[in-house]
Amino acid sequence: MADKLPLPLIDHAEGQLFLTQAFNIIVEEVLCKGTDVKQKVCHEWKEPEELAELLDLELREGGEGQQKLLQRVRDVAKYSIKTSHPRFFNQQFAGVDYHALAGRFLTETLNTNLFTYEVAPVFVLMEMEVLRGLRQLVGWTEGDGIFCPGGSTSNIYAMNLARYQLFPEVKSQGLYGLPRLAIFSSPEVRMAVQRCMSDYTVERSRMIPEDLDQKIELSKSQGAVPFLVSCTSGTTVQGAFDPLDRIADVCDKHKLWMHVDAAWGGSVLFSKQHRHLMKGADRANSVAWNPHKMLVAGLQCSALLLKDTTNLLKRCHSANATYLFQQDKFYDVNLDIGDKSVQCSRKVDCLKLWLMWKAVGSSGLAERVDKAFVHVRYLVEQMKKRDGFHLLREPEFVNVCFWFIPPSLRGKEGNADYQDRLAKVAPTIKERMMKQGTMMVGYQPLGNKVNFFRVIVFSPLVSQKDLDFFLNEIERLGDDL
Amino acid sequence: MADKLPLPLIDHAEGQLFLTQAFNIIVEEVLCKGTDVKQKVCHEWKEPEELAELLDLELREGGEGQQKLLQRVRDVAKYSIKTSHPRFFNQQFAGVDYHALAGRFLTETLNTNLFTYEVAPVFVLMEMEVLRGLRQLVGWTEGDGIFCPGGSTSNIYAMNLARYQLFPEVKSQGLYGLPRLAIFSSPEVRMAVQRCMSDYTVERSRMIPEDLDQKIELSKSQGAVPFLVSCTSGTTVQGAFDPLDRIADVCDKHKLWMHVDAAWGGSVLFSKQHRHLMKGADRANSVAWNPHKMLVAGLQCSALLLKDTTNLLKRCHSANATYLFQQDKFYDVNLDIGDKSVQCSRKVDCLKLWLMWKAVGSSGLAERVDKAFVHVRYLVEQMKKRDGFHLLREPEFVNVCFWFIPPSLRGKEGNADYQDRLAKVAPTIKERMMKQGTMMVGYQPLGNKVNFFRVIVFSPLVSQKDLDFFLNEIERLGDDL
């Protein structure tokens, strides 16, 4: 039988040649062309049916040759949006950092799982160090934390911890039989929090501390047990910061877990000039912070930071799987951190941030944050000088929300159909923008405010030219509306 | 002010040079040396304090030069475990596929988020196609699904869906006021399921259909509302498969959501010869399947597959964030799939699997699965020929669980201290193995069975030599015990 055993199915020389050729395509198509302002953000807009056909997505019985596969790499790059392009202003991620990217390639190739020291010795220690660095910026000299696959998971973990601290029996007995648990959050809470709350009663409260205090009293008087207040540092649309210090007073008074969703805004903590926006964060119990957003670490990189020093995270989430967390190992099993997570397989998300941080230092990251604020100030000043741009409000952060008022609507604010017509401006400009591919920026309505643009400026690749282009391009695309 | 605006902070030429040099190090250190049987799986075992010092992990105010950073890339590679090495048998991931790896590099560089068609046109369509391909193997011609950051998340989603279908009000009102909800799972359910169940009453039932039926009746009679049965295809330790077809009969009878955690075992569906292990999977409501395990797609790649055609996933999870899911877009907004997920930021996990599948076809993936079974059969036969190897049971899958009985313990089964002494064998061999770095395999106790090894054989890089080496090496490391 022995000599009939199948041979290894991977040819290393052939595989490494393919990988090198693919790497060259990636550098050329995504990193060179994809960041070149002479090239488009959206190469060529395609309707889904056409794109599906062009890409020939179908999976078949047989394999394909290397040249065809390289063409597939080229096609995927070609028809994808160039999110690193300096004129991609559409989301809370943008730009590229080459050190972080090298860290990502290394992570992918080492392909390990962050659950035990034996299988991920470097990354167990590295994650601890990166979390320590982030906690220090919050203002904590000790504590705990974990990297999660996004802000929603970080927020869910905070909720798990808060309720486990109050009711440890929930872990073995479930929620049934517990009193009605109530969470408090602001009405503009981002999707990532809203989606996590379906197990609980949710009280939406404007994060005016006095108002919050009253809502908590009312909730208690109605028989609920408030257990968590979720504040936001950097809302998704407007970039607003809740007054953490005063909310902390209310949480202290009622002995509630204070969670700060700083997924978007957390990076201000690097900046001496702007960290005041999160004054009071050190009084929270937990902070969620996504370096994959403003710090350009790359998706996914999301940290949950905890003030706790009692191993709450592990006590709350541990399942003590014997096949991973043997207690008779020859090293300190406290380094087997996998039991802190609800996940079993957990990707390494710390290396990219660590390598970038090593490359530019805390001062380099602070410089990026400060640069973004300067750019936003410039953009806002330019908008005020132009007729067609109307700000929703002065930005607190790097989100600039504005309506573009085309010439035909200027001075017509009193007309009955003004809001209806204004609501159609942003979608039309967006459609033209996508089809011409010149840049990308998002729009949305909010409450009673009709569709407005939200331009987000923070990519380290952006220059003044790009900001001027942005304004000119909005005018060019919308002046005939 | 204009000419004082800060310039872009990234130098592309310098960055691309760094990335290319890092790529070369990665190929050399991780892909060449890291898969070479003449090199070690664990280069040099270090105690945590020593390793932390060697790596100089601390994050500082200032940045570092390129040469120093390249050395850091080298060090991270050097001290990391080589999980692609043919003699890494420690976990449910191993090996390397170069096409998948190229897909991962491209994913990282394109750095987009799978929530809308406008920002991820290629990947929205590609994910649909990959899910369709996987569903087809389950036996469904239509349905739904989503990629999740691991099997735990897939399992949580299945629970969310099952309870939402029964009690849609949970989404707005929380769990309070609902009856006691009960979940049924096998006692050896893997950690990834156990950790997700803390909201509910959990009934552990051996997945003997008759037993399950009785447990459900009993639970109902005690006032609980059973809503989900979670079966396992491929348990973590022993690789056991629950009898899906007969469990489906019980679920039908009680109208319960049937979930199959096939995170580990799902890949048998590619193999004509072995897919019978999951006979009846098509009768389930949901299947969780991690191609990052046996298919070597790379962490993370985890699919939740659904039979549902009523958009349950979106109805259950949607938060309708206006800043992402505008309804007045110029394309079909059903392609904005982000509202199917609890996550807001969601990494692209489909490209690596798609490119690998394109490269080798369904037949190539089937060949890998079949090869693993052949290797396991060989290994088991060899174990039976050698004195020191004692199987826990005949493997159903690619997990081989065995005790190594050192010469001093052979024939001493009747001695009072036999089990105690046997329990110490695996940890000692493991320590020696790690410190010498020659290979890696895990051990654990299970129920009343003392520490035994679990060797997992599926990497496409493995050859007969490696299997023979494995057996010889266990003997070499343990013969004096």
Side-chain angles (χ1 to χ4, degrees):
Chain A
M1 167 167 180
D3 52 11
K4 286 187 201 153
L5 276 200
L7 294 171
L9 296 170
I10 304 279
D11 179 320
H12 287 290
E14 189 184 289
Q16 287 169 18
L17 177 63
F18 180 83
L19 189 67
T20 303
Q21 290 171 325
F23 175 79
N24 292 336
I25 294 170
I26 290 169
V27 171
E28 183 59 30
E29 297 297 322
V30 188
L31 294 170
C32 292
K33 289 192 199 161
T35 60
D36 180 354
V37 292
K38 295 190 291 296
Q39 303 276 337
K40 292 184 170 179
V41 174
C42 174
H43 169 78
E44 217 175 321
W45 175 262
K46 296 289 177 197
E47 293 299 325
E49 300 71 25
E50 194 188 350
L51 182 56
E53 206 180 300
L54 274 168
L55 293 170
D56 176 33
L57 292 168
E58 194 189 335
L59 298 160
R60 306 197 178 84
E61 191 61 21
E64 294 181 350
Q66 304 304 303
Q67 288 313 309
K68 181 137 188 204
L69 292 164
L70 289 170
Q71 185 56 46
R72 296 198 176 281
V73 170
R74 240 176 246 115
D75 287 345
V76 168
K78 176 174 171 182
Y79 292 108
S80 287
I81 299 296
K82 306 305 181 298
T83 67
S84 301
H85 195 288
R87 293 171 185 173
F88 178 82
F89 302 104
N90 208 65
Q91 317 285 162
Q92 293 165 303
F93 57 93
V96 63
D97 178 282
Y98 288 97
H99 297 103
L101 190 56
R104 295 161 80 183
F105 285 9
L106 182 54
T107 300
E108 295 299 315
T109 314
L110 285 169
N111 194 45
T112 197
N113 195 325
L114 246 176
F115 44 44
T116 61
Y117 184 75
E118 76 180 55
V119 85
V122 173
F123 301 126
V124 164
L125 299 176
M126 186 182 284
E127 180 169 283
M128 285 166 55
E129 188 60 29
V130 175
L131 289 168
R132 206 182 63 78
L134 294 174
R135 275 199 312 266
Q136 217 161 35
L137 291 163
V138 172
W140 297 332
T141 51
E142 48 183 9
D144 200 355
I146 193 165
F147 276 86
C148 295
S152 301
T153 307
S154 296
N155 292 327
I156 290 175
Y157 279 19
M159 293 178 200
N160 287 355
L161 295 173
R163 82 175 187 194
Y164 176 78
Q165 197 175 47
L166 264 189
F167 301 103
E169 65 269 30
V170 77
K171 190 171 167 180
S172 56
Q173 295 168 28
L175 278 173
Y176 183 77
L178 290 192
R180 187 159 57 88
L181 300 180
I183 282 179
F184 294 79
S185 75
S186 50
E188 279 178 41
V189 65
R190 64 194 198 94
M191 184 168 84
V193 176
Q194 190 183 332
R195 283 174 169 172
C196 311
M197 302 193 296
S198 68
D199 288 350
Y200 314 106
T201 294
V202 181
E203 302 283 357
R204 299 297 174 83
S205 165
R206 286 181 64 196
M207 282 287 169
I208 298 169
E210 298 70 27
D211 185 49
L212 175 65
D213 184 38
Q214 284 175 16
K215 279 270 175 43
I216 292 170
E217 295 287 5
L218 181 66
S219 177
K220 284 179 173 175
S221 73
Q222 292 168 343
V225 176
F227 74 106
L228 179 128
V229 173
S230 180
C231 339
T232 311
S233 289
T235 57
T236 305
V237 177
Q238 304 201 68
F241 286 75
D242 283 329
L244 302 184
D245 228 353
R246 291 164 59 217
I247 293 171
D249 292 338
V250 180
C251 291
D252 281 353
K253 175 180 163 191
H254 295 280
K255 298 196 170 45
L256 299 186
W257 185 285
M258 177 173 162
H259 174 63
V260 181
D261 178 355
W264 176 223
S267 302
V268 300
L269 292 172
F270 274 100
S271 160
K272 291 191 180 63
Q273 206 181 336
H274 300 289
R275 54 175 298 128
H276 66 87
L277 288 165
M278 285 185 66
K279 186 163 182 297
D282 58 313
R283 297 176 62 192
N285 298 86
S286 52
V287 173
W289 177 357
N290 290 8
H292 68 226
K293 298 190 195 283
M294 194 172 189
L295 293 183
V296 197
L299 264 171
Q300 58 195 37
C301 189
S302 172
L304 174 67
L305 307 173
L306 298 169
K307 189 194 270 169
D308 172 75
T309 56
T310 69
N311 220 6
L312 185 66
L313 192 55
K314 189 166 179 177
R315 287 185 287 125
C316 176
H317 287 153
S318 63
N320 300 315
T322 56
Y323 59 89
L324 281 174
F325 309 118
Q326 306 89 321
Q327 297 305 302
D328 50 8
K329 286 184 178 176
F330 64 98
Y331 60 83
D332 176 4
V333 293
N334 285 318
L335 293 168
D336 289 352
I337 55 175
D339 240 358
K340 293 185 175 186
S341 167
V342 172
Q343 300 187 274
C344 178
S345 299
R346 187 163 67 93
K347 197 169 165 39
V348 172
D349 292 327
C350 58
L351 171 58
K352 50 197 162 194
L353 176 56
W354 181 81
L355 196 61
M356 176 174 75
W357 199 334
K358 279 285 191 190
V360 301
S362 303
S363 61
L365 296 175
E367 187 184 3
R368 292 189 189 176
V369 174
D370 290 338
K371 169 178 181 285
F373 277 89
V374 172
H375 275 167
V376 163
R377 215 156 51 235
Y378 173 77
L379 193 68
V380 165
E381 282 172 23
Q382 295 302 309
M383 282 184 180
K384 288 178 178 170
K385 289 180 188 163
R386 299 190 186 210
D387 284 341
F389 293 85
H390 187 83
L391 288 166
L392 262 77
R393 62 178 216 175
E394 283 295 320
E396 270 184 86
F397 193 34
V398 296
N399 311 32
V400 182
C401 294
F402 69 93
W403 285 284
F404 177 70
I405 321 284
S408 71
L409 280 179
R410 290 177 201 163
K412 306 281 171 59
E413 292 80 359
N415 290 11
D417 64 349
Y418 180 82
Q419 294 294 331
D420 286 347
R421 289 178 60 194
L422 183 58
K424 294 194 177 73
V425 171
T428 306
I429 292 177
K430 178 71 180 249
E431 177 172 359
R432 292 175 177 180
M433 185 189 302
M434 292 302 293
K435 291 187 170 169
Q436 298 179 28
T438 49
M439 66 180 195
M440 273 181 77
V441 58
Y443 73 86
Q444 63 280 299
L446 187 68
N448 61 358
K449 296 180 173 68
V450 300
N451 283 325
F452 56 89
F453 285 111
R454 174 199 66 169
V455 55
I456 296 190
V457 181
F458 69 94
S459 161
L461 305 186
V462 168
S463 69
Q464 186 192 329
K465 276 199 315 271
D466 303 306
L467 300 175
D468 292 334
F469 177 87
F470 176 82
L471 297 167
N472 294 337
E473 186 68 358
I474 292 278
E475 286 176 349
R476 185 183 73 81
L477 293 166
D479 258 352
D480 66 330
L481 294 178
Chain B
M1 167 168 182
D3 51 13
K4 286 187 203 153
L5 276 201
L7 293 172
L9 295 170
I10 305 278
D11 180 319
H12 287 290
E14 189 183 288
Q16 288 168 20
L17 177 64
F18 179 82
L19 188 67
T20 304
Q21 290 171 325
F23 174 79
N24 292 336
I25 293 171
I26 290 169
V27 171
E28 184 58 31
E29 297 296 323
V30 188
L31 295 170
C32 292
K33 291 192 200 161
T35 60
D36 180 353
V37 292
K38 294 190 291 295
Q39 303 277 336
K40 294 185 170 179
V41 174
C42 174
H43 169 78
E44 216 176 322
W45 174 262
K46 298 288 177 196
E47 293 298 324
E49 300 70 25
E50 193 188 352
L51 182 56
E53 205 179 301
L54 275 168
L55 293 170
D56 176 33
L57 292 168
E58 192 189 337
L59 298 160
R60 306 195 178 87
E61 190 61 21
E64 294 180 349
Q66 304 304 302
Q67 288 314 311
K68 182 135 189 206
L69 293 164
L70 288 171
Q71 186 55 46
R72 295 197 176 281
V73 169
R74 240 176 246 115
D75 288 346
V76 168
K78 177 174 171 182
Y79 293 107
S80 287
I81 299 297
K82 305 306 180 298
T83 67
S84 301
H85 195 288
R87 293 169 186 174
F88 178 82
F89 302 103
N90 208 65
Q91 319 284 162
Q92 293 164 304
F93 58 92
V96 64
D97 178 281
Y98 288 98
H99 297 104
L101 190 56
R104 295 161 80 184
F105 285 10
L106 182 53
T107 300
E108 294 300 316
T109 316
L110 285 168
N111 193 46
T112 197
N113 195 324
L114 246 178
F115 42 43
T116 61
Y117 183 75
E118 75 180 57
V119 85
V122 172
F123 301 125
V124 164
L125 299 176
M126 186 181 283
E127 179 168 286
M128 284 166 55
E129 189 61 28
V130 175
L131 290 169
R132 205 182 64 78
L134 295 173
R135 275 199 312 266
Q136 217 161 36
L137 291 163
V138 172
W140 298 332
T141 51
E142 47 183 10
D144 200 355
I146 193 164
F147 276 86
C148 295
S152 302
T153 308
S154 296
N155 292 327
I156 291 175
Y157 278 20
M159 294 178 199
N160 287 355
L161 295 173
R163 81 176 189 193
Y164 177 78
Q165 196 174 47
L166 263 190
F167 301 103
E169 64 270 29
V170 77
K171 190 171 167 180
S172 54
Q173 294 168 28
L175 278 173
Y176 183 75
L178 290 191
R180 189 160 56 89
L181 301 179
I183 282 180
F184 294 80
S185 75
S186 50
E188 280 179 39
V189 67
R190 64 195 199 93
M191 181 170 83
V193 176
Q194 189 185 331
R195 283 175 170 176
C196 311
M197 302 193 296
S198 67
D199 288 349
Y200 315 106
T201 293
V202 181
E203 302 282 359
R204 298 297 173 83
S205 165
R206 284 181 66 198
M207 282 288 167
I208 299 169
E210 299 69 29
D211 186 50
L212 175 65
D213 185 38
Q214 283 174 16
K215 277 271 175 44
I216 292 171
E217 294 287 5
L218 181 65
S219 176
K220 283 179 175 176
S221 74
Q222 292 169 340
V225 175
F227 74 106
L228 178 128
V229 173
S230 181
C231 337
T232 311
S233 289
T235 57
T236 304
V237 177
Q238 304 203 65
F241 286 75
D242 284 329
L244 301 184
D245 229 352
R246 291 165 58 217
I247 292 170
D249 292 339
V250 180
C251 291
D252 280 353
K253 175 180 163 192
H254 295 281
K255 297 194 171 50
L256 299 186
W257 185 286
M258 175 173 165
H259 174 64
V260 181
D261 179 356
W264 176 223
S267 302
V268 300
L269 291 172
F270 274 99
S271 160
K272 289 191 183 61
Q273 207 182 335
H274 301 288
R275 52 174 299 128
H276 66 87
L277 288 165
M278 285 185 65
K279 187 164 179 300
D282 58 314
R283 297 176 62 191
N285 298 86
S286 53
V287 173
W289 177 358
N290 290 6
H292 68 226
K293 298 191 196 282
M294 193 172 190
L295 293 183
V296 197
L299 265 172
Q300 57 194 42
C301 189
S302 172
L304 174 68
L305 306 173
L306 298 169
K307 190 194 266 169
D308 173 74
T309 55
T310 69
N311 219 6
L312 185 66
L313 192 55
K314 189 166 178 176
R315 286 186 287 125
C316 177
H317 287 153
S318 63
N320 300 313
T322 56
Y323 59 88
L324 280 175
F325 309 118
Q326 305 90 322
Q327 297 304 302
D328 50 8
K329 285 182 176 175
F330 63 98
Y331 60 83
D332 177 4
V333 293
N334 285 317
L335 294 168
D336 289 353
I337 55 175
D339 240 358
K340 293 184 175 185
S341 168
V342 172
Q343 301 187 274
C344 178
S345 298
R346 187 162 67 92
K347 197 167 163 43
V348 172
D349 292 327
C350 58
L351 171 58
K352 50 198 163 196
L353 176 56
W354 180 81
L355 196 62
M356 176 174 74
W357 200 333
K358 279 285 191 188
V360 301
S362 303
S363 60
L365 296 175
E367 187 184 2
R368 292 188 189 175
V369 174
D370 290 338
K371 170 179 183 281
F373 277 90
V374 173
H375 275 168
V376 164
R377 215 157 50 236
Y378 173 77
L379 193 68
V380 165
E381 282 171 23
Q382 296 303 309
M383 282 184 180
K384 288 178 179 170
K385 288 180 190 164
R386 298 189 186 213
D387 284 343
F389 294 84
H390 187 83
L391 287 167
L392 262 76
R393 62 178 216 178
E394 283 294 322
E396 270 183 86
F397 192 33
V398 296
N399 310 33
V400 182
C401 294
F402 69 93
W403 285 282
F404 177 70
I405 322 282
S408 70
L409 281 178
R410 292 177 201 164
K412 307 281 172 59
E413 292 79 358
N415 290 11
D417 64 349
Y418 180 81
Q419 293 295 332
D420 285 348
R421 289 178 61 194
L422 183 58
K424 294 192 178 75
V425 171
T428 307
I429 293 179
K430 178 68 180 250
E431 177 173 356
R432 293 174 177 182
M433 185 188 303
M434 292 302 294
K435 291 186 171 170
Q436 298 179 28
T438 49
M439 66 180 193
M440 273 180 79
V441 59
Y443 73 87
Q444 62 281 299
L446 185 69
N448 60 0
K449 296 179 171 70
V450 301
N451 283 326
F452 56 89
F453 285 110
R454 175 200 65 170
V455 55
I456 296 189
V457 181
F458 70 94
S459 161
L461 304 188
V462 167
S463 70
Q464 186 192 327
K465 278 200 313 271
D466 303 308
L467 301 176
D468 292 333
F469 177 87
F470 176 83
L471 296 166
N472 294 337
E473 185 69 359
I474 292 279
E475 286 174 348
R476 186 183 73 81
L477 293 167
D479 258 352
D480 65 330
L481 294 179

